[in-house]
């Protein structure tokens, strides 16, 4: 019987593991075997330079940061298995965690399975991914390749507005490609977007292709109302079309919000099941940063520690 099982391998899971290990909870962490199409280590394994994680003033490569976090988890006493959790049984305590090789029972569970940015799968995207195409403006927007260039953002929600506005700090111009003739974003966000002189909105516009030799140089778009296709010279393309939280394996056993993020009680990492905690992007659809994921991982370990020491109402 395990005390604490942690599912996930990003900053949230490893921070939880570091705290739980130091608290002598002897955690077992399932890091996934290319779970959700992403290598163990999570979303940061899909990027290059991370410049906004404190403690690395010169920046650090995302994969290297995750290797370091993993090693720190091990150093603190975490046992790591490279297996994907396929399902869980949370109906009674102890909870059951199933992989294709084993089933374990555990008194408490931390879910830190993250989220995956939606992609568009247009021709040219795979080849130019992270070579001008990204799903995170806050993460990648400040890179030198985007300075004083024309950039494009796809999407019409709050993320698209935030990302486009953020990018105007670096870009000469930001084109926002909106597939309908309205934005989904909050009215105040819409006003902000429309008032920004560096932003041009392309209504009723869909992305068709991404072009470029070694990095993005242009995109093909279509105005679906006028039925006109055109090539736009842009050097950065940012998707802001939503994320998918990795919660399918829960099969409805925890309360999720309307877009499938795990619901936690504000100010805690407690879920709808006592003894089950959630941290990181799988329960955060607003901030979605490595440092916020790590912070909530710390909270989850402290919540689990309290639960295991007899505060069973948690
Ligand atoms: P994730 O990093 O999403 O990791 C969760 C991982 O758990 C999954 O990837 C998978 O490996 C594993 N997993 C999932 N399901 C299972 C399962 N069933 N069983 C076992 N394992 C499973 N943030 C910043 O602060 N700075 C940046 O510069 C930055 N750059 C980014 C660049 C890109 C391209 C992307 C996509 C994101 C970037 N982010 C950045 C955001 C940051 O990566 C995320 O906010 C952060 O990684 C979330 O951490 P997490 O621990 O919640 O989960
Ligand atoms: P949303 O789901 O709200 O918006 C996604 C946008 O992308 C929509 O405009 C949608 O168009 C568009 N879209 C989806 N798929 C495609 C596609 N294949 N091609 C072109 N466009 C597409 O996601 P967000 O990430 O913007 O927001 C998620 C949640 O987080 C929301 O609740 C939001 O309010 C919140 N949030 C809040 C922030 C804040 O308060 N500052 C900041 C960021 C997010 P359509 O409208 O036609 O469906």
């Amino acid at each position: 019987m395990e005390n604490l099982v942690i599912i996930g391998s990003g900053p949230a899971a490893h921070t939880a593991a570091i705290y739980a290990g130091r608290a002598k909870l002897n955690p077992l962490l399932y890091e996934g075997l290319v779970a959700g199409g992403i290598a163990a280590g999570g979303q940061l394994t899909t990027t290059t330079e991370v410049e906004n994680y404190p403690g690395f003033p010169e920046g650090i490569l995302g994969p290297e940061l995750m290797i370091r976090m993993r090693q720190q988890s091990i150093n603190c006493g975490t046992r790591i298995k490279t297996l994907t959790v396929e399902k869980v049984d949370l109906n009674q305590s102890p909870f059951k965690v199933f992989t294709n090789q084993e089933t374990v029972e555990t008194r408490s569970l931390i879910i830190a399975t993250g989220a995956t940015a939606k992609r568009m799968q247009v021709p040219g995207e795979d080849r130019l991914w992270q070579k001008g195409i990204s799903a995170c403006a806050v993460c990648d927007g400040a890179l030198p390749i985007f300075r004083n260039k024309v950039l494009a953002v796809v999407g019409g929600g709050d993320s698209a507005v935030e990302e486009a506005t953020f990018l105007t700090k670096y870009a000469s111009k930001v084109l926002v490609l909106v597939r309908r003739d309205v934005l989904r974003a909050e009215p105040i966000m819409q006003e902000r977007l429309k008032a920004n002189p560096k932003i041009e909105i392309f209504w009723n516009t869909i992305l068709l292709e991404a072009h470029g030799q070694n990095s993005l140089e242009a995109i093909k778009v279509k105005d679906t109302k006028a039925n006109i296709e055109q090539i736009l010279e842009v050097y950065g393309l940012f998707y802001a079309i939503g994320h998918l939280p990795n919660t399918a394996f829960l099969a409805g056993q925890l309360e999720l919000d309307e877009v499938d993020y795990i619901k936690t009680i504000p100010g805690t990492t407690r879920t709808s099941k006592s003894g089950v905690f959630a941290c990181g992007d799988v329960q955060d659809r607003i901030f979605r940063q490595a440092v916020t994921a790590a912070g909530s991982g710390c909270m989850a370990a402290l919540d689990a520690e309290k639960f295991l020491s007899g505060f069973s109402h948690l």
Side-chain angles (χ1 to χ4, degrees):
M1 164 84 73
E2 299 290 338
N3 255 336
L4 172 62
V5 167
I6 299 169
I7 312 174
S9 57
H14 283 302
T15 307
I18 291 162
Y19 274 78
R22 283 172 54 82
K24 305 284 178 225
L25 299 182
N26 191 25
L28 171 63
L29 182 148
Y30 286 107
E31 66 178 354
L33 182 63
V34 201
I38 297 186
Q43 293 174 63
L44 288 185
T45 63
T46 68
T47 189
T48 52
E49 206 71 40
V50 177
E51 292 180 342
N52 52 10
Y53 197 84
F56 299 95
E58 284 83 33
I60 181 167
L61 292 173
E64 191 193 336
L65 179 59
M66 294 321 301
I67 287 169
R68 286 177 179 231
M69 286 193 197
R70 187 180 191 275
Q71 189 57 49
Q72 199 171 349
S73 292
I74 293 169
N75 294 351
C76 291
T78 304
R79 291 161 295 139
I80 298 181
K81 293 196 176 181
T82 310
L83 292 171
T84 298
V85 172
E86 292 181 340
K87 60 176 184 169
V88 289
D89 181 354
L90 308 178
N91 287 322
Q92 60 196 27
S93 180
F95 308 123
K96 289 197 182 77
V97 175
F98 302 85
T99 69
N100 64 359
Q101 290 184 20
E102 60 191 26
T103 301
V104 299
E105 293 191 329
T106 181
R107 294 187 182 90
S108 64
L109 184 64
I110 292 179
I111 300 167
T113 47
T116 309
K118 287 192 208 160
R119 287 168 61 161
M120 305 216 36
Q121 310 300 350
V122 295
E125 174 182 309
D126 277 346
R127 195 170 51 80
L128 298 169
W129 187 253
Q130 291 293 303
K131 291 177 185 152
I133 310 183
S134 159
C136 184
V138 177
C139 317
D140 299 332
L143 293 174
I145 56 164
F146 299 127
R147 295 275 161 99
N148 298 314
K149 295 278 171 52
V150 180
L151 309 177
V153 172
V154 185
D158 285 327
S159 294
V161 173
E162 268 203 351
E163 306 232 327
T165 309
F166 177 83
L167 289 170
T168 58
K169 286 202 265 186
Y170 309 102
S172 57
K173 192 169 183 186
V174 179
L175 319 179
V176 180
L177 312 182
V178 182
R179 67 177 170 183
R180 294 187 290 150
D181 58 359
V182 286
L183 293 162
R184 181 185 288 272
E186 298 285 328
I188 190 164
M189 303 283 276
Q190 299 196 20
E191 278 170 27
R192 202 171 296 163
L193 190 78
K194 289 173 185 166
N196 190 319
K198 276 193 173 181
I199 285 177
E200 185 178 348
I201 304 177
F202 284 62
W203 301 105
N204 303 302
T205 299
I206 56 169
L207 177 71
L208 294 179
E209 290 167 14
H211 298 177
Q213 284 290 324
N214 300 318
S215 63
L216 184 79
E217 291 161 11
I219 53 176
K220 189 196 253 188
V221 298
K222 180 175 181 180
D223 180 327
T224 51
K225 212 165 182 185
N227 204 19
I228 294 172
E229 292 181 5
Q230 60 174 320
I231 302 277
L232 301 170
E233 194 182 329
V234 304
Y235 292 87
L237 175 64
F238 294 84
Y239 292 160
I241 59 171
H243 282 69
L244 289 176
N246 299 319
T247 49
F249 74 101
L250 294 169
Q253 294 176 80
L254 287 182
E255 268 182 38
L256 307 179
D257 72 9
E258 64 282 7
V259 280
D260 292 343
Y261 285 79
I262 298 176
K263 275 191 183 173
T264 50
I265 297 170
T268 78
T269 59
R270 289 155 57 190
T271 67
S272 56
K273 283 262 154 71
S274 173
V276 181
F277 306 93
C279 52
D281 284 15
V282 75
Q283 51 84 59
D284 169 17
R285 60 192 233 195
I286 306 287
F287 300 107
R288 298 189 301 230
Q289 295 297 301
V291 73
T292 50
S296 68
C298 161
M299 291 165 63
L302 296 178
D303 277 345
E305 188 187 355
K306 264 197 199 146
F307 170 80
L308 289 167
S309 59
F311 293 87
S312 56
H313 63 286
L314 295 175

